[in-house]
Amino acid sequence: MSARLPRISASTRAPSRADRRLAARLRRRDPQALRDLHTDLGASVFGFLRHALGDRGTAEDVMQQVFLEVWQRGPDYDPRRGSPLAWVMTIARSRAIDHLRRRIPEPRDPSGAADEDPRGDFELDELLERWRLAALLGRLPVQEADVLRRRFYEGRSQAEIAEETGVPLGTVKSRMVAGLARLREALDQEEQAA
Amino acid sequence: MSDALLTRLEALGPDEWRPEAPPALVMPPGAEAAPRRRALTLRPLPALAAVLLLLALGAGGALFVTSQDPAPSRTLTLTSLRPDGAAQGKVRLARTGGRATLAVSGLAPSRRGEFYELWLLSPPGDLVSLGSFRVSAGGRATLQVPLPVDPSRYRFLDVSVEPDDGDPAHSSHSVLRGRT
């Protein structure tokens, strides 16, 4: 198989205080650090795995492997190399690929088609990016995330959102601007070391 | 950047906009028993500021600190909805809000194709899913979940049995319930 390895970057980022604190808690083996990571990222990791693997039970099993690995590798987590979100999602991607490879009967095609992954790496990376964005959306204030969902998922205009929610149009606009700005900033921080 | 972001947002599906609650975290073996070492470091400036503040306020300072203590965590009891049921549960709402811990016992072990789900609900149909979990052969489970809403706005905490059919709605098969 010609699966690409997870991206490894030698570049570094300026970690936030929260990321440095999390790294310190993981180094000293604080179980609450793992719980906090699960609370913050669990839904996105599980969503990614469920879509990547196509089965809830399998996704649950792999999810436990991911968080076990997070715990085991926690002391080595370096926030200068990537955010906790990028780090945990990279582990999830690797474990998903492991599982997808295991369940392919080998060899699939003696003529050489065995090089093809049933769920291509490109598709998996796209899925991963979607769920990274979902994780960042989950950190927005609820009202801002709600406006963005109505606008970009339900396709409502700002005027329609104002009418549906009873919120003044000016407030809808300011929430959308604030939500997008917050999201851009979060994405910029996420992609600093990518 | 902005166009790319808008395109990415428009490409998201319903699951990404409203992610399903993840399964409960199973703590790795030994994690709970790990010593929680925390080095006590004295930072000169904050320490000096604290000393000066205490000196300035005197005994009043102690009273101020006491009165600002956060409210203690609340524990709610869930009871079985079957008259003869021995199942029960406790939900602890963290004193800082935003998080709840569920511990259940006496529930039937999870069967294949089913899982349990914790909800906040106010009849007839105001529902918020807080998280899903499985119950071991011993009938016990613990679950820690974030609270996306203020639980006092809902009348009940509810535990249901859910078929793994992809339908995010409540199955109407509740097994535990307690007032918030």
Side-chain angles (χ1 to χ4, degrees):
Chain A
M1 267 182 223
S2 61
R4 284 179 297 174
L5 292 171
R7 283 192 296 272
I8 298 173
S9 170
S11 59
T12 58
R13 63 194 278 271
S16 69
R17 190 172 181 176
D19 291 357
R20 292 199 306 271
R21 193 174 294 163
L22 174 72
R25 291 165 65 205
L26 288 169
R27 269 197 301 279
R28 67 170 183 264
R29 316 292 283 162
D30 179 356
Q32 190 58 42
L34 188 67
R35 290 192 200 98
D36 290 347
L37 271 174
H38 182 269
T39 299
D40 185 27
L41 306 177
S44 297
V45 172
F46 186 58
F48 164 72
L49 291 172
R50 190 157 183 195
H51 281 77
L53 303 174
D55 172 70
R56 183 188 178 93
T58 306
E60 285 183 356
D61 291 345
V62 176
M63 173 110 171
Q64 301 303 346
Q65 293 172 24
V66 169
F67 278 88
L68 174 62
E69 188 169 337
V70 166
W71 175 252
Q72 290 170 337
R73 293 174 52 184
D76 298 325
Y77 166 61
D78 182 353
R80 292 170 303 176
R81 300 290 298 276
S83 69
L85 171 61
W87 177 56
V88 174
M89 283 306 221
T90 300
I91 293 174
R93 180 188 185 278
S94 299
R95 297 293 73 77
I97 287 176
D98 286 350
H99 191 87
L100 289 168
R101 284 177 178 169
R102 268 202 302 272
R103 75 183 181 197
I104 307 165
E106 301 254 16
R108 293 173 60 224
D109 183 348
S111 69
D115 280 350
E116 292 173 11
D117 199 324
R119 185 179 285 278
D121 281 2
F122 178 74
E123 188 184 341
L124 211 55
D125 284 342
E126 280 212 327
L127 195 57
L128 195 73
E129 288 310 309
R130 291 162 67 103
W131 283 98
R132 281 177 63 175
L133 187 56
L136 298 178
L137 278 168
R139 291 174 182 170
L140 291 183
V142 173
Q143 291 167 330
E144 291 174 12
D146 182 62
V147 168
L148 294 182
R149 181 179 57 80
R150 290 174 191 268
R151 176 70 187 89
F152 294 103
Y153 174 60
E154 296 180 357
R156 301 282 196 269
S157 68
Q158 293 180 333
E160 287 171 332
I161 295 171
E163 190 178 331
E164 282 176 1
T165 59
V167 173
L169 179 59
T171 306
V172 169
K173 288 180 177 176
S174 63
R175 284 177 183 169
M176 184 168 298
V177 169
L180 287 172
R182 237 186 273 273
L183 207 52
R184 278 191 198 101
E185 188 182 348
L187 275 169
D188 285 346
Q189 287 175 357
E190 281 293 315
E191 290 165 2
Q192 268 180 20
Chain B
M1 170 65 192
S2 62
D3 285 346
L5 174 58
L6 303 190
T7 304
R8 287 169 72 177
L9 287 171
E10 284 168 347
L12 295 183
D15 289 352
E16 288 99 337
W17 282 105
R18 285 198 169 143
E20 180 184 355
L25 174 66
V26 176
M27 291 301 284
E32 294 291 8
R36 295 188 63 179
R37 295 189 302 274
R38 179 165 187 161
L40 179 62
T41 54
L42 192 62
R43 294 178 176 140
L45 282 177
L48 179 62
V51 168
L52 290 175
L53 181 65
L54 284 175
L55 286 174
L57 295 178
L63 285 174
F64 175 79
V65 169
T66 303
S67 67
Q68 292 299 305
D69 280 351
S73 60
R74 274 197 309 145
T75 300
L76 310 173
T77 301
L78 308 185
T79 53
S80 174
L81 293 179
R82 291 177 54 183
D84 57 342
Q88 58 178 322
K90 299 275 186 193
V91 175
R92 187 163 58 85
L93 302 174
R95 62 184 177 183
T96 53
R99 183 171 296 175
T101 305
L102 167 74
V104 295
S105 61
L107 284 176
S110 297
R111 293 186 300 186
R112 189 178 179 83
E114 284 184 352
F115 57 93
Y116 289 92
E117 191 154 2
L118 176 65
W119 306 81
L120 278 167
L121 74 85
S122 289
D126 198 2
L127 282 162
V128 175
S129 169
L130 297 179
S132 61
F133 60 98
R134 290 181 178 277
V135 171
S136 65
R140 293 176 181 274
T142 59
L143 172 71
Q144 190 171 62
V145 291
L147 286 170
V149 294
D150 178 0
S152 65
R153 289 169 44 201
Y154 294 80
R155 286 179 61 195
F156 299 105
L157 275 156
D158 176 274
V159 171
S160 66
V161 179
E162 298 290 328
D164 185 9
D165 56 5
D167 182 356
H170 193 290
S171 65
S172 301
H173 181 187
S174 295
V175 290
L176 291 174
R177 190 170 291 176
R179 283 193 174 275
T180 59

